[in-house]
Amino acid sequence: VMGLLAFFQRRIMYPATQAERLPVAAFPETARQFSEAADLRLRTADGAEIGAWHLRARSGRNSRLMLLFHGNAGHRAGRTGWYRLAAGFQCDVLAIDYHGFGDSEGSPTEQHLINDAQAAWQHATGALGYRPEQIVITGESLGGGVAVRLAADVCRGGHKPHGLLLVATFDSMLNAAGFHFPWLPVGRLLLDRFHSDQQIADVTCRIVQYHGDQDSVVPLPLGQRLHQRAPAVSVDGVPRQFRLLPGSGHNGLLQQHAVTFRR
């Protein structure tokens, strides 16, 4: 059993939902919330082409941009709660699908997801013309590990995003896997570790975390430990924030606490 779990660990970690094509026009409920909705194809450092949507809340380049990294299931078409939230704030969105998710090429690994995030940042600050201080790097669950790594890399490079928004995420995949498989020597077997706890100290922008107190997928202590590893204050003097969502599990947080997220 241990050998099988070790061999198939990436299939377990990344239960990717694939699609031949995901044109945003095929999802009118999302498209009509924004003044413009465009399909993108981004090339990553390893040569794969990944799918993305650019949703513009209003004309011009003065809007804030949510750079969205989703969890380990589904694909970008299923993130309607995030799109509704962003539209309510008149915030643009750049949502990608990782290697092997949706209509993206390749297969998911930790390094490939890091490459995906870097390609999204480069496209946002390059072809799309957003300034770093306009961008909110956003990650939920597994996407939190992707978002923390990107934010740390960007800050280490001398840039400052507007903020880092994390929802129901962990301090490391090592600890998350250890919670679910306590009888396995995950320290020896796990390939993709997503050590956000080792990255977040270098994040100099504002940090806000949300976590449900009934989360059985990413238990609350894992989110709290990540919060404790974050800098107490951002470079512009804003304290880190941890917002507990009472009575909430891992999924459906945006729907259950829409009012809280809008504050």
Side-chain angles (χ1 to χ4, degrees), residues 170-205:
F170 45 75
D171 56 340
S172 75
M173 185 62 77
L174 194 65
N175 289 336
F179 169 80
H180 287 286
F181 303 101
W183 45 275
L184 273 178
V186 294
R188 295 203 303 271
L189 298 176
L190 194 65
L191 297 173
D192 296 345
R193 303 190 172 212
F194 290 96
H195 266 299
S196 296
D197 51 354
Q198 297 176 7
Q199 300 290 330
I200 201 166
D202 289 336
V203 177
T204 58
C205 64

Side-chain angles (χ1 to χ4, degrees), residues 23-189:
V24 68
F27 302 91
E29 288 189 20
T30 292
R32 66 170 169 249
Q33 296 180 73
F34 296 87
S35 65
E36 299 175 37
D39 300 311
L40 301 176
R41 303 294 294 176
L42 309 182
R43 184 72 62 181
T44 67
D46 56 282
E49 192 175 77
I50 62 172
W53 289 348
H54 181 218
L55 310 174
R56 195 183 289 280
R58 54 192 174 193
S59 299
R61 294 185 175 180
N62 295 321
S63 297
R64 195 161 291 158
L65 176 73
M66 176 186 288
L67 185 52
L68 180 61
F69 301 111
H70 62 66
N72 75 330
H75 49 57
R76 64 188 185 276
R79 270 56 200 187
T80 55
W82 283 109
Y83 305 143
R84 193 177 302 115
L85 180 71
F89 281 119
Q90 288 290 289
C91 179
D92 300 347
V93 181
L94 178 58
I96 69 164
D97 270 316
Y98 312 124
H99 276 61
F101 284 73
D103 53 1
S104 294
E105 298 175 350
S107 57
T109 67
E110 181 176 5
Q111 186 58 55
H112 285 165
L113 268 61
I114 291 169
N115 293 349
D116 297 336
Q118 290 286 355
W121 176 268
Q122 290 164 10
H123 192 80
T125 57
L128 297 182
Y130 292 95
R131 301 183 306 277
E133 59 269 22
Q134 289 178 277
I135 301 174
V136 179
I137 299 174
T138 304
E140 60 173 331
S141 193
L142 172 69
V146 180
V148 169
R149 174 58 186 268
L150 176 65
D153 286 343
V154 167
C155 292
R156 284 191 287 257
H159 301 290
K160 186 176 73 68
H162 181 79
L164 174 63
L165 173 59
L166 302 171
V167 177
T169 196
F170 45 75
D171 56 340
S172 75
M173 185 62 77
L174 194 65
N175 289 336
F179 169 80
H180 287 286
F181 303 101
W183 45 275
L184 273 178
V186 294
R188 295 203 303 271
L189 298 176

